């Protein structure tokens, strides 16, 4: 029995190191950063949200799970050409604000196609000061608004 459990953990844990969303959550923003060297994955449900950051294909450098009320969700107000939302997590006095946006560029001529550019990333801050801002690699962003 113990050997079976140990074997199961040895097989399952490496795959969970770079897992998609936890059961019951759906993707918010995911992308690669720093020319594919890093990965950002955020997920949410009605009552919780999760954050994963680390090397692509590797173990998390930081993984957070927060229940409703322990993270901030800033939804799009419905105004502007850019549809955007943010999730903000906090860990030991440091905030991690994940953002996603669909920038809509309207055609100049009637009947033309609307161009949509998707952006995303994370801003790291402490005491109201921005410590870092990492933009997702172009073309790698999945933002499920």
């Amino acid at each position: 029995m113990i050997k079976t459990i140990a074997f199961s953990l040895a097989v399952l844990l490496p795959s969970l190191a770079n897992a998609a969303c936890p059961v019951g959550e759906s993707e918010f923003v995911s992308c690669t950063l720093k020319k594919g060297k890093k990965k950002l994955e955020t997920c949410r449900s009605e009552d919780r949200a999760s954050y994963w950051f680390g090397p692509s294909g590797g173990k998390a450098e930081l993984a957070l799970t927060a229940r409703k009320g322990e993270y901030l969700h800033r939804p799009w107000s419905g105004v502007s050409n850019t549809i955007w939302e943010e999730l903000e997590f906090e860990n030991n006095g440091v905030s991690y604000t994940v953002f996603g946006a669909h920038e809509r560029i309207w055609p100049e001529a009637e009947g033309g196609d609307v161009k949509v550019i998707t952006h995303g990333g994370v801003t790291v801050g402490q005491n109201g000061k921005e410590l870092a801002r990492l933009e997702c690699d172009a073309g790698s962003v999945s933002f499920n608004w």
Side-chain angles (χ1 to χ4, degrees), residues 28 44 72-78 83-87 145:
F28 176 65
R44 67 177 175 165
L72 294 176
H73 173 229
R74 292 184 192 92
W76 179 51
S77 66
I83 299 168
W84 62 271
E85 289 195 3
E86 295 178 335
L87 285 181
W145 176 82

Side-chain angles (χ1 to χ4, degrees), residues 23-35:
V23 174
E25 293 184 24
S26 58
E27 185 180 68
F28 176 65
V29 171
S30 69
C31 67
T32 60
L33 307 105
K34 299 189 175 213
K35 298 180 182 178

Side-chain angles (χ1 to χ4, degrees), residues 78-125:
V79 179
S80 86
N81 287 336
T82 302
I83 299 168
W84 62 271
E85 289 195 3
E86 295 178 335
L87 285 181
E88 183 176 321
F89 299 85
E90 188 164 324
N91 184 45
N92 296 322
V94 178
S95 64
Y96 301 87
T97 305
V98 177
F99 56 91
H102 295 301
E103 180 183 354
R104 299 175 292 177
I105 302 171
W106 302 98
E108 290 186 25
E110 190 172 322
D113 292 333
V114 175
K115 184 178 179 181
V116 177
I117 301 171
T118 304
H119 305 276
V122 59
T123 303
V124 181

Side-chain angles (χ1 to χ4, degrees), residues 8-51:
S8 297
L9 289 174
V11 170
L12 291 174
L13 287 179
S15 65
L16 293 175
N18 198 11
C21 294
V23 174
E25 293 184 24
S26 58
E27 185 180 68
F28 176 65
V29 171
S30 69
C31 67
T32 60
L33 307 105
K34 299 189 175 213
K35 298 180 182 178
K37 293 179 183 172
K38 299 287 184 179
K39 182 177 180 184
L40 172 67
E41 178 80 39
T42 54
C43 306
R44 67 177 175 165
S45 68
E46 288 296 318
D47 62 346
R48 68 178 186 261
S50 58
Y51 172 98

